C-alpha cells in the first residue's frame, strides 16, 4: 500500500510511505521540477490500489498566470510510480528534475506508535539508490537512468529538453531485495469474486458496486501454505492481515459475488481452530476488540466461531458444491459443539472471562448459528439439529423477557445482561444484529430473537433521529451517556452495521426505516468517491453538509466494501436455495432508488441477473439452467 498527502509528495511524516508486508520500504519521495515544487491541482484514487496526482508550474518567465508545464504522477501500490511532464510552452524548455528519496525500513506498528527510527544512509546501485537495515534491503531504480545520483542527499537527477507540446517520463520502482514481484490476488484469473455490474436510475448505484468489488479484490490475500485459498485483509492501513470475524462477515455479505471467497475463508480459518481440551475447544481464535465506554472489550474469536457455521450454511444456499460443504462440516460441527458447551449452564452465551456479560449481539449471532447450523446438520445427515433448535427456542423465550427493557417510549433491547441480572440499557448499533436472522430453506428468513411487536419497536428506534444520522446508523444513540460522533463504538457510523440494519429492516417489512438508512449511506458514498470507509463521524446531516471522515478508519475496508454489495442486492431481495433448485425474490417495496439492474452475480455457480422496476417488481433476466423462481 501507499500513503501520501494530497499533493502526492512523500515527506516521511506520520504514516506516509510505500509499504509491503507491513514494512515501510520508502518513506520519502519528493519531486522538484526546475527548482520548484509543482503546484498541486488534483488528487484522486483511480482504483483501490492506484492514485493520480496532477500539478502544474510555470517554467517560462513572463508568460502570465497560465502554467506551461503539467506534472502527472501515476502511483501504484505495487511499488511503481510514473512521472510524466507535459509542456505547453511556445518554445523549447529545459527542465531539471529532482527526486529526493529516503527510508527508515520501519514496520507499521512502530510507525503508528511513534517509534520509527531515523532515516538510513543510502548507497548508489545501478543508477538508483539502495538501503539496508535489520531484516530488509530495498532499492529504488529508475527508467530512464538518472544523469546523476547522490547517495548522501538521497537524490536522483535528470535534465529534459522538451519541445513545444513535448513530453518526458520517468518510472520509479521500489523493490525489496529477495522478494518477488507483487501480484495482487484479485487481479489474476483465479480471483474468487464475480465481476458484477449495476445500472439504474440512481447515479450512485453503478459506481458503488464497481468500487466495492474493486476494494474487495484489492484486499484479497492468499494463504501462503495453501495458495488456492483466498481471504480478505480487514483493511488498510491499520489492519492489513486476517481478522477472522471481519473476514467471515465480509465473505457472507459478498455471497452474491460467488461462494469461492467464502469457501477459501472458511478453509483458512478451519486450520486455525482450537482442537485441544478446555473451554476454547472448537473456537476460531480472534483478538479482543474495544466495545466502547459501556462494555469491556469483546472477544472476536467468539463472534468468528458463531459466524463460521452460519456462513457455511448460507454459502451452501448460494451454490457451494456439496463436496466442499462436506469437507468443511467437521470444523462447523466443532463450532456448534463449542456453542452447546458454552450454554450448558444457561440459555445465554457469556463473555469467556469471569464475570463477563451476555451481549445482545452475541446472542443474535448464537441464535442464528444454532438455527442455520441445525439446518446444515440435517441437510448433511449429521445428528444434533434437534438439540440446537430446542436450545434456540429456549433462548428466544428467555431473551424476549430477560433482555427487553420497558419504558415510556415503547421499550428497547438491552445492550447486555450482567451476571447479576442487571441490564445495560444504552441503545447502540449492535442491536441491528437482532434483525439479521439468516437464510433457511425455501428462501425463508430464520425466526428472530424478538417478537413482532418488539421488532417493530426496534425498527422505530433505529429509524429515529437519535440513531439515523442522515448518513447511516450511529454506533450509539445521541441521547446516551458517552455519545461521541467520532467514537468508533460510541457514535460513529459503521458501514457494516448500517448495511446489516438495512437488510434486516427490509426483510422484516420495515422499508421506510431501511430506505432512510440506505439513502444516507449512498449520499455518504458519493462524497467519498464511492469508496466507503470503515466508518465516519455520526454528526447529523444538514443541507449542504458532508460526512466527516474518521482519522482511524480503514479505507479500503473489507466489511465496508462488502456492505456495498449487501446494500444493493438487498434492493432485489435475492434468496437462493440452490439445493432445492430455487431462488426467491423479495424486493424492497416501492423501489426507493427507482429501477435497478444487477448483472454478473453468481447463484448456483452460474451468472445471475435481476431487474427491479420502478414499481418494485423484480424479474430474473439470467440464471443457471434448471433454477426455478420460488414463490
Amino acid at each position: 500500500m501507499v500513503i501520501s498527502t494530497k499533493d502526492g509528495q512523500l515527506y516521511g511524516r506520520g504514516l506516509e510511505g510505500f509499504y509491503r508486508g507491513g514494512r515501510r520500504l520508502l518513506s520519502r519521495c519528493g519531486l522538484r521540477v526546475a527548482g520548484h515544487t509543482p503546484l498541486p491541482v488534483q488528487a484522486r484514487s483511480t482504483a483501490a490500489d492506484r492514485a493520480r496526482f496532477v500539478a502544474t508550474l510555470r517554467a517560462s518567465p513572463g508568460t502570465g498566470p497560465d502554467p506551461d508545464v503539467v506534472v502527472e504522477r501515476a502511483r501504484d501500490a505495487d511499488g511503481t510510480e510514473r512521472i510524466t511532464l507535459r509542456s505547453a510552452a511556445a518554445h523549447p524548455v529545459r527542465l531539471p528534475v529532482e527526486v529526493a528519496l529516503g527510508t527508515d525500513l520501519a514496520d507499521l506498528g512502530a510507525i503508528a506508535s511513534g517509534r520509527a527510527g531515523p532515516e538510513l544512509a543510502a548507497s548508489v546501485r545501478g543508477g538508483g539508490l539502495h538501503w539496508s537495515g535489520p531484516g530488509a534491503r530495498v532499492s529504488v531504480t529508475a527508467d530512464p537512468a538518472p544523469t546523476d545520483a547522490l547517495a548522501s542527499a538521497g537524490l536522483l537527477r535528470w535534465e529534459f529538453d522538451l519541445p513545444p507540446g513535448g513530453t518526458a517520463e520517468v518510472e520509479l520502482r521500489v523493490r525489496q531485495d529477495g522478494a518477488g514481484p507483487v501480484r495482487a490476488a484479485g487481479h489474476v484469473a483465479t480471483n474468487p469474486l464475480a465481476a458484477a455490474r449495476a445500472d439504474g436510475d440512481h447515479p450512485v448505484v453503478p459506481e458503488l458496486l464497481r468500487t466495492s468489488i474493486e476494494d474487495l479484490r484489492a484486499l484479497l490475500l492468499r494463504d501462503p501454505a495453501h495458495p488456492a485459498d483466498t481471504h480478505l485483509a480487514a483493511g488498510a492501513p491499520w489492519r492489513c492481515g486476517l481478522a477472522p470475524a471481519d473476514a467471515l462477515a465480509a465473505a457472507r455479505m459478498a455471497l452474491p459475488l460467488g461462494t469461492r471467497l467464502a469457501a477459501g475463508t472458511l478453509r483458512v480459518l478451519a486450520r486455525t481452530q482450537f482442537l485441544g481440551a478446555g473451554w476454547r475447544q472448537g473456537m476460531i481464535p480472534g483478538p479482543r476488540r474495544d466495545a466502547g465506554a459501556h462494555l469491556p472489550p469483546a472477544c472476536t474469536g467468539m463472534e468468528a466461531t458463531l459466524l463460521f457455521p452460519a456462513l457455511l450454511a448460507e454459502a451452501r444456499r448460494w451454490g457451494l458444491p456439496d463436496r466442499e460443504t462436506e469437507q468443511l462440516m467437521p470444523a462447523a460441527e466443532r463450532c456448534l459443539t463449542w456453542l452447546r458447551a458454552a450454554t450448558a449452564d444457561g440459555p445465554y452465551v457469556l463473555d469467556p472471562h469471569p464475570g463477563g456479560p451476555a451481549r445482545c449481539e452475541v446472542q443474535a449471532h448464537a441464535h442464528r448459528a444454532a438455527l442455520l447450523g441445525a439446518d446444515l446438520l440435517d441437510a448433511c445427515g449429521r445428528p444434533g439439529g434437534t438439540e440446537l433448535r430446542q436450545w434456540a427456542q429456549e433462548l428466544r423465550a428467555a431473551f424476549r423477557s430477560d433482555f427487553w427493557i420497558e419504558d415510556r417510549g415503547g421499550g428497547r433491547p438491552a445492550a447486555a445482561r450482567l451476571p447479576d441480572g442487571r441490564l445495560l440499557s444504552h441503545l447502540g448499533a449492535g442491536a441491528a444484529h437482532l434483525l439479521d436472522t439468516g437464510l433457511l430453506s425455501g428462501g425463508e428468513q430464520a425466526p428472530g430473537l424478538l417478537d413482532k411487536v418488539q421488532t417493530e419497536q426496534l425498527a422505530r428506534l433505529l429509524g429515529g433521529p437519535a440513531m439515523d444520522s442522515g448518513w447511516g446508523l450511529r454506533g450509539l444513540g445521541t441521547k446516551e451517556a458517552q455519545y461521541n460522533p467520532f467514537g468508533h463504538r460510541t457514535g460513529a457510523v459503521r458501514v457494516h452495521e448500517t448495511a446489516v440494519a438495512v437488510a434486516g429492516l427490509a426483510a422484516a417489512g420495515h422499508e421506510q426505516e431501511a430506505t432512510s438508512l440506505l439513502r444516507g449511506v449512498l449520499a455518504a458514498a458519493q462524497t467519498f468517491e464511492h469508496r466507503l470507509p470503515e466508518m465516519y463521524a455520526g454528526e447529523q446531516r444538514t443541507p449542504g453538509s458532508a460526512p466527516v471522515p474518521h482519522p482511524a478508519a480503514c479505507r479500503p475496508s473489507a466489511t465496508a466494501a462488502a456492505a456495498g454489495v449487501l446494500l444493493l442486492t438487498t434492493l432485489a431481495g435475492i434468496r437462493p436455495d440452490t439445493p432445492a433448485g430455487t431462488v426467491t425474490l423479495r424486493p424492497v417495496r416501492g423501489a426507493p432508488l427507482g429501477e435497478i439492474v444487477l448483472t454478473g452475480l453468481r447463484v448456483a455457480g452460474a451468472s445471475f441477473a435481476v431487474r427491479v422496476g420502478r414499481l418494485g417488481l423484480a424479474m430474473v433476466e439470467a440464471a443457471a439452467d434448471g433454477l426455478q423462481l420460488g414463490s
Side-chain angles (χ1 to χ4, degrees), residues 12 20 27 52 110 168 224 237 309 332 398 489 533-534 569 624:
R20 180 171 179 175
S27 56
R52 177 177 180 263
R489 298 284 171 184
E534 174 188 14
T569 54

Side-chain angles (χ1 to χ4, degrees), residues 422-608:
R422 285 183 296 127
L423 298 178
L424 299 183
S425 63
H426 62 276
L427 180 64
H433 292 284
L434 293 169
L435 302 170
D436 180 14
T437 59
L439 186 64
L440 296 175
S441 61
E444 293 297 321
Q445 294 289 121
L449 281 175
L450 301 179
D451 61 27
K452 184 178 180 180
V453 174
Q454 291 171 335
T455 300
E456 290 174 351
Q457 173 63 5
L458 178 58
R460 284 193 291 270
L461 291 171
L462 296 182
M467 292 298 294
D468 185 352
S469 70
W471 302 114
L473 188 69
R474 292 185 176 95
L476 186 68
T478 56
K479 298 178 181 179
E480 307 297 335
Q482 305 294 325
Y483 166 74
N484 172 8
F486 281 92
H488 70 288
R489 298 284 171 184
T490 54
V493 173
R494 300 184 68 83
V495 177
H496 171 206
E497 288 170 332
T498 301
V500 167
V502 169
L505 288 165
H510 299 283
E511 285 88 357
Q512 180 178 343
E513 292 84 357
T515 297
S516 177
L517 291 171
L518 171 64
R519 288 185 179 279
V521 175
L522 294 184
Q526 200 163 16
T527 68
F528 287 116
E529 298 177 312
H530 308 103
R531 178 157 286 114
L532 284 166
E534 174 188 14
M535 58 185 167
Y536 42 88
E539 295 182 328
Q540 186 61 43
R541 182 180 179 182
T542 58
S545 67
V548 180
H550 193 290
C554 288
R555 181 173 179 263
S557 155
T559 54
V565 177
L566 177 61
L567 287 167
L568 297 182
T569 54
T570 291
L571 292 167
I574 306 167
R575 301 182 183 181
D577 187 356
T578 295
T582 65
V583 60
T584 304
L585 301 179
R586 294 285 187 268
V588 177
R589 292 197 301 264
L593 302 186
E595 184 176 72
I596 180 172
V597 182
L598 301 170
T599 59
L601 303 176
R602 304 286 292 182
V603 177
S607 182
F608 184 84

Side-chain angles (χ1 to χ4, degrees), residues 30 39 67 75 98 100 227 244 253 307-308 337 358 440 456 501 508 530 545 549 565 598 604 609:
L39 177 69
R75 182 173 291 157
E98 289 185 350
M253 291 188 286
L307 279 169
F308 190 102
T337 300
L440 296 175
E456 290 174 351
H530 308 103
S545 67
V565 177
L598 301 170

Side-chain angles (χ1 to χ4, degrees), residues 66-397:
D66 297 335
D68 52 9
V69 174
V70 174
V71 181
E72 178 182 322
R73 302 173 76 169
R75 182 173 291 157
D76 195 302
D78 69 358
T80 60
E81 178 169 331
R82 180 175 287 106
I83 301 168
T84 303
L85 310 174
R86 295 187 177 91
S87 173
H91 53 80
V93 292
R94 169 162 288 189
L95 296 177
V97 174
E98 289 185 350
V99 176
L101 304 167
T103 186
D104 50 16
L105 294 180
D107 66 69
L108 180 60
I111 298 165
S113 60
R115 294 182 290 105
E119 281 194 0
L120 301 171
S123 59
V124 176
R125 176 188 287 187
L129 295 177
H130 179 80
W131 296 265
S132 295
R137 297 185 302 275
V138 67
S139 300
V140 174
T141 58
D143 183 18
T147 55
D148 193 13
L150 272 75
S152 58
L155 279 179
L156 301 181
R157 291 174 173 166
W158 298 262
E159 281 203 2
F160 296 105
D161 292 306
L162 298 187
T167 64
E169 283 189 352
V170 172
E171 183 172 276
L172 303 175
R173 301 184 188 90
V174 184
R175 293 290 182 265
Q176 186 174 356
D177 290 9
V182 176
R183 288 181 289 186
H187 294 171
V188 298
T190 56
N191 163 40
L193 299 167
R197 293 186 57 185
D199 293 292
D201 293 336
H202 198 289
V204 176
V205 165
E207 287 301 302
L208 177 58
L209 185 60
R210 182 186 65 81
T211 53
S212 293
I213 295 173
E214 202 174 69
D215 283 2
L216 291 172
R217 289 180 171 179
L219 292 170
L220 283 171
L221 298 176
R222 295 188 181 281
D223 185 332
H226 301 84
D229 292 340
T230 53
H231 61 86
L232 291 167
W238 305 105
R239 299 190 295 154
C240 297
L242 174 63
D246 286 4
L248 288 165
R252 183 171 175 242
M253 291 188 286
L255 281 172
L257 305 179
T259 61
R260 291 172 57 196
L261 174 62
T265 303
L266 289 166
R267 284 193 291 266
V268 168
L269 291 177
R271 291 190 282 268
T272 72
Q273 195 171 31
F274 285 114
L275 301 179
W279 66 269
R280 296 194 301 172
Q281 184 178 15
M283 279 191 73
I284 305 294
R288 299 186 72 79
R289 177 176 62 205
D290 180 69
H294 298 277
L295 284 164
C299 174
T300 63
M302 191 160 61
E303 183 180 342
T305 305
L306 298 171
L307 279 169
F308 190 102
L311 175 57
L312 180 57
E314 290 190 320
R316 180 174 172 272
R317 297 287 172 204
W318 282 88
L320 185 68
D322 289 342
R323 179 179 57 82
E324 294 186 65
T325 303
E326 284 291 340
Q327 290 173 349
L328 289 161
M329 278 301 297
E333 287 181 290
R334 288 191 288 270
C335 291
L336 295 171
T337 300
W338 175 88
L339 170 59
R340 293 300 293 121
T343 55
D345 297 328
Y348 302 121
V349 180
L350 306 177
D351 274 17
H353 55 79
R359 301 172 194 255
C360 172
E361 64 267 29
V362 170
Q363 311 318 306
H365 295 321
H367 184 254
R368 182 179 61 234
L371 292 181
L372 272 61
D375 201 40
L376 184 64
L377 292 173
D378 290 352
C380 295
R382 309 292 180 99
T386 301
E387 291 79 4
L388 283 168
R389 290 190 186 90
Q390 182 178 348
W391 171 79
Q393 185 175 356
E394 294 169 359
L395 176 62
R396 283 197 298 276

